[in-house]
Amino acid sequence: MSLELHENVSLQPFNTFGIHVSARLFAQAGNEQDVREALALAAERGLPLLVIGGGSNLLLTRDVEALVLRMASRGLRIVEDDGESVVVEAEAGEPWHPFVQWSIAQGLAGLENLSLIPGTVGAAPIQNIGAYGVEIKDVFAGLTALDQQTGELREFTLGECAFGYRDSLFKRQAGRWIILRVRFRLLRNAQLHLEYGPVRQRLQEMGIESATSADVSRAICAIRSEKLPDPAVLGNAGSFFKNPVVSAALAERIRAEHPDLVAYPVGEGEMKLAAGWLIERAGWKGYQDGDAGVHRLQALVLVNYGDAQGQQLLDLARRIQADILQRFGVTLEIEPNVL
Ligand code: EPU
């Protein structure tokens, strides 16, 4: 037995909101064998298994009556290389941003727009992380997961993951699959994505004419650091709501009253609205109630100013949802997993 099991462990260091709740049992898995041991131990004790990565997409509202298993497996390797395109494989417990930096240092492009996203490699496919015009699905080459129901390993191809906007099969079948390692197809000759919002402009300001993936990564880090709070300094879980997709008719009705509405066409007769804009326009940006608040620079991000409880943050989110529904007729969906 290599797995170290601990009783009644505070999860505060293991969730980026910094919420104080405890786990009935807690362990860290360094490899597949540890994961299997944890599954057996949880079954023995009659507790569910709750697998976490960086805890950066999680809102904990009460003590967790489960065996909380933090994925801590490490390892990065190149598994295919045809000179132009390369498949890299990363273990689930690898922290995301250092992995992105490693790939750039290998001269590989594809992940630069996803720089500085908190969390781990294994959690990334669950919500199909995305930023500045790129999502995991765009560079995804496969993953290996353990089926909690059967104990068998299964390989997933892109199509089988059913990726959508902040969505996947693994999110919809929560509690079934434990992602062990993920593969990405990256390119030696960068095909950079600079179209999204401020990216190209930021590169110009940095005096860069012909950008490399390292330049794009630096630009994205600068943009993110300006707008998004660092969880090490101010507890948060990134965007707390998804950007809602509404009918073009509803978007037009809102625009008639608010000509500066931020909206992008997606598919037939549908528009994606910037939830941050709606929340800011409704007056919530910078709002604070005790230690729970709405970030003062990015209204989509809820923050813990110190000792906020998960329930307090959830109550604030519910008030925002009700207000946005009442004012604009738009339903906001919560993005992180609420437990
Ligand atoms: N906006 C406002 N007020 C705000 C925030 C945003 O008016 O308080 C407006 C901006 O001016 C801009 C538009 O909304 O016109 C979009 O803002 P931004 O580019 O900052 O991105 P976002 O839609 O707020 C999404 C992702 C982020 C991702 C960025 C960049 C979601 C839920 N969020 O945010 O992802 O980093 O785009 O691609 O899709 C995350 O998922 O945790 C996350 C941070």
Side-chain angles (χ1 to χ4, degrees):
M1 296 274 268
S2 65
L3 194 74
E4 272 187 45
L5 201 56
H6 304 272
E7 308 237 352
N8 302 321
V9 171
S10 167
L11 292 177
Q12 199 197 14
F14 303 112
N15 74 98
T16 58
F17 257 126
I19 306 279
H20 270 292
V21 293
S22 67
R24 179 80 188 75
L25 294 175
F26 178 83
Q28 309 213 43
N31 53 43
E32 183 186 326
Q33 188 50 37
D34 288 349
V35 175
R36 292 186 181 279
E37 268 182 43
L39 268 170
L41 282 164
E44 216 172 85
R45 304 269 190 124
L47 288 170
L49 186 74
L50 172 67
V51 177
I52 62 170
S56 55
N57 201 44
L58 196 59
L59 179 63
L60 297 163
T61 61
R62 56 185 151 79
D63 289 343
V64 185
E65 271 302 304
L67 192 170
V68 175
L69 185 69
R70 178 170 177 269
M71 294 300 284
S73 52
R74 304 296 294 263
L76 302 171
R77 57 195 81 90
I78 289 176
V79 291
E80 267 177 58
D81 186 348
D82 68 9
E84 267 176 45
S85 95
V86 172
V87 176
V88 299
E89 182 175 69
E91 294 294 323
E94 284 288 338
W96 179 262
H97 179 64
F99 164 57
V100 172
Q101 287 179 309
W102 173 85
S103 71
I104 292 169
Q106 306 297 307
L108 301 175
L111 297 175
E112 53 283 340
N113 291 41
L114 304 175
S115 293
L116 216 58
I117 296 182
T120 56
V121 166
I126 300 176
Q127 56 154 345
N128 181 26
I129 60 169
Y132 303 99
V134 175
E135 291 180 336
I136 272 244
K137 68 165 174 51
D138 303 324
V139 284
F140 182 83
L143 65 75
T144 308
L146 183 71
D147 186 346
Q148 288 205 48
Q149 287 174 4
T150 64
E152 278 167 21
L153 289 186
R154 170 151 166 211
E155 302 296 328
F156 283 88
T157 60
L158 175 65
E160 290 166 339
C161 296
F163 289 124
Y165 167 53
R166 295 296 190 276
D167 196 23
S168 73
L169 173 86
F170 312 104
K171 192 164 172 178
R172 283 178 232 156
Q173 300 188 351
R176 172 148 186 204
W177 304 101
I178 301 177
I179 296 172
L180 298 178
R181 36 194 168 269
V182 188
R183 291 172 292 283
F184 303 88
R185 184 169 294 282
L186 306 177
L187 297 173
R188 291 210 186 278
N189 287 314
Q191 280 177 2
L192 300 172
H193 299 272
L194 310 177
E195 320 67 45
Y196 187 99
V199 178
R200 204 182 287 276
Q201 192 194 331
R202 176 59 63 120
L203 285 163
Q204 270 168 12
E205 286 164 13
M206 289 162 66
I208 291 159
E209 273 173 28
S210 149
T212 62
S213 55
D215 295 329
V216 175
S217 175
R218 270 195 295 278
I220 302 263
C221 288
I223 296 167
R224 288 186 72 98
S225 318
E226 273 171 17
K227 278 201 181 176
L228 294 165
D230 177 355
V233 179
L234 187 60
N236 74 89
S239 298
F240 200 85
F241 303 99
K242 286 173 131 179
N243 285 325
V245 175
V246 303
S247 69
L250 176 56
E252 278 323 304
R253 282 204 299 281
I254 301 172
R255 204 197 289 282
E257 248 186 82
H258 307 276
D260 56 337
L261 174 74
V262 181
Y264 314 86
V266 283
E268 268 298 291
E270 288 190 320
M271 300 285 273
K272 189 186 259 190
L273 308 184
W277 184 93
L278 296 170
I279 297 168
E280 176 174 349
R281 185 45 62 101
W284 290 98
K285 198 174 186 172
Y287 176 87
Q288 197 175 338
D289 181 6
D291 278 343
V294 179
H295 190 51
R296 61 188 179 83
L297 299 176
Q298 184 17 310
L300 209 42
V301 178
L302 297 193
V303 291
N304 174 10
Y305 283 104
D307 244 341
Q309 311 225 305
Q311 190 57 47
Q312 245 178 301
L313 285 155
L314 187 58
D315 289 344
L316 173 58
R318 300 274 185 239
R319 286 170 63 198
I320 294 170
Q321 283 175 310
D323 189 38
I324 298 303
L325 182 60
Q326 204 230 329
R327 277 175 200 262
F328 301 107
V330 175
T331 302
L332 291 185
E333 193 185 324
I334 289 178
E335 203 217 29
N337 300 318
V338 178
L339 286 173

